[in-house]
Amino acid sequence: MARVPSAVVAAGGLVGGYGVARWTRKRELGGVVLAAAGVAAAAQWRERAGGAAAGALSGAYVAAFGASHPLAKKVGAWPAVFGVAGAVALASWAVADRRA
């Protein structure tokens, strides 16, 4: 069975977490989606690129989540979420998925 690339898992966590929070109006549910995808992506990063890379990419994931909030005030919520998700996906692909 083919594995889902970690870039897709990470980007999906950011986009999915925001979507769930927005559509259910329950921020906690969005946080669950965000955290679950982050844990799954971190496990893949650790397996594919090692602990140091997993730590750096996990930091980037959390930073992207944080950066999306002030960015949303400038460009709008969805463009901000898609932008940071794309950045995390690109970093994830470059560090971990490209080697697979």
Side-chain angles (χ1 to χ4, degrees):
M1 178 175 185
R3 295 185 76 171
V4 176
S6 62
V8 173
V9 174
L14 289 161
V15 173
Y18 175 69
V20 167
R22 181 171 178 137
W23 289 316
T24 65
R25 298 183 191 255
K26 304 242 185 258
R27 294 176 66 167
E28 299 82 12
L29 290 178
V32 169
V33 171
L34 179 78
V39 168
Q44 288 183 325
W45 294 328
R46 186 174 35 254
E47 178 184 310
R48 295 177 184 174
L57 288 168
S58 294
Y61 185 79
V62 172
F65 169 70
S68 68
H69 292 81
L71 184 59
K73 292 179 181 179
K74 296 181 188 292
V75 299
W78 280 111
V81 171
F82 285 131
V84 299
V88 169
L90 181 60
S92 179
W93 174 82
V95 173
D97 294 336
R98 176 172 56 165
R99 300 175 191 195

